């Protein structure tokens, strides 16, 4: 049986974290915990929580730590996370990283933290052309990967749209926040001996192969 894993993915918006996290979660048979996806689902459901989250997300601002931490800790407490998890989009700030340490205190901590490296110009091109399925979250791109039928998701037939926070102003704000609040986590995890740096350029499968090799080497299982 494939062993589980407790893995964190770091990397700028548009680095390919979502795609790689879903491949990794399938590979290790653990849940893919994406705070962005969790929040977008809450927005779709409406209610007060969804409205509150949307106001931050549309502006490209970070959702306040206490709220994010509460939702993630709740999610990691569910039984399907017993074998582990792939965290995508969390932690994004130092207090979130510390809260994760604390939440995992009673079980084993994070085993590896992958920093997916992609240059800024590539990230900008990926984000500005990005289109997503409003129903299942599948990713498309105006120049590289259009759905077979215009505006319809290949996987579920849902509507393919531009994310509200993929506007130039929100993209710029999100990248600035990444540099300010999230990039310092690279050192935080490097100091703990958990960091694995992986080149995020290439086809999704090439990046995935590279990633699994790097993680397995880090865990001494390769
Ligand atoms: P993502 O899909 O990961 O780019 O997340 C979309 C948006 O959700 C971000 O721009 C933030 O507004 C919010 N968000 C997601 N994860 C976090 C987090 N860990 N801390 C604060 N805000 C977050």
């Amino acid at each position: 049986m494939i062993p589980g894993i407790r893995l964190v993915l770091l990397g700028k918006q548009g680095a390919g974290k979502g795609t790689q996290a879903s491949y990794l979660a399938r590979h290790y048979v653990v849940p893919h915990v994406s705070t962005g996806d969790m929040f977008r689902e809450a927005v779709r459901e409406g209610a007060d929580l969804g409205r509150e989250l949307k106001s931050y997300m549309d502006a490209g601002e970070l959702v306040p730590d206490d709220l994010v931490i509460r939702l993630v800790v709740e999610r990691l407490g569910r039984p399907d996370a017993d074998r582990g998890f792939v965290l995508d989009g969390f932690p994004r700030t130092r207090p979130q990283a510390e809260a994760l340490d604390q939440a995992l205190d009673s079980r084993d901590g994070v085993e590896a933290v992958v920093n997916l490296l992609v240059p800024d110009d590539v990230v900008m091109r990926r984000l500005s052309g990005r289109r997503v399925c409003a129903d299942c979250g599948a990713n498309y791109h105006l120049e590289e990967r259009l759905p077979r039928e215009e505006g319809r998701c290949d996987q579920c037939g849902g509507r393919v749209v531009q994310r509200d926070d993929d506007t130039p102003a929100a993209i710029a704000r999100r990248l600035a926040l990444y540099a300010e609040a999230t990039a310092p986590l690279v050192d935080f995890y490097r100091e703990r001996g958990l960091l694995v740096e992986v080149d995020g350029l290439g086809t999704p499968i090439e990046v995935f192969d590279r990633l699994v090799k790097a993680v397995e080497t880090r865990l001494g299982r390769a």
Side-chain angles (χ1 to χ4, degrees), residues 13 35-36 39-40 56-57 61-63 68 89-90 92 96 163 165 174:
Q13 292 79 356
T35 41
F39 297 169
R40 280 183 287 276
Y56 295 106
M57 294 168 78
E61 295 296 333
L62 290 177
V63 174
V68 181
F90 180 95
R92 252 182 166 91
Q96 291 180 15
R163 269 172 54 166
D165 60 352
R174 285 154 63 212

Side-chain angles (χ1 to χ4, degrees), residues 173-192:
R173 180 66 186 145
R174 285 154 63 212
L175 289 173
L177 274 173
Y178 186 85
E180 187 186 312
T182 310
L185 295 184
V186 170
D187 284 336
F188 176 90
Y189 286 118
R190 185 180 285 122
E191 282 159 19
R192 284 164 174 69

Side-chain angles (χ1 to χ4, degrees), residues 125-136:
R125 199 168 57 239
R126 285 188 185 170
L127 289 175
S128 47
R130 176 161 74 179
R131 296 294 180 271
V132 294
C133 172
D135 288 341
C136 75

Side-chain angles (χ1 to χ4, degrees), residues 186-219:
V186 170
D187 284 336
F188 176 90
Y189 286 118
R190 185 180 285 122
E191 282 159 19
R192 284 164 174 69
L194 294 175
L195 193 72
V196 181
E197 303 217 81
V198 175
D199 177 3
L201 290 180
T203 66
I205 297 297
E206 281 164 2
V207 176
F208 174 68
D209 285 345
R210 215 178 280 150
L211 238 159
V212 171
K213 275 199 198 92
V215 167
E216 290 295 314
T217 303
R218 159 78 188 79
L219 298 181

Side-chain angles (χ1 to χ4, degrees), residues 98-130:
E98 286 166 355
L100 179 64
D101 269 356
Q102 259 183 17
L104 297 178
D105 224 13
S106 56
R107 52 207 245 199
D108 297 323
V110 168
E111 291 171 283
V113 176
V114 173
N115 187 19
L116 207 50
L117 300 168
V118 173
D120 272 343
D121 57 322
V122 175
V123 156
M124 280 306 286
R125 199 168 57 239
R126 285 188 185 170
L127 289 175
S128 47
R130 176 161 74 179

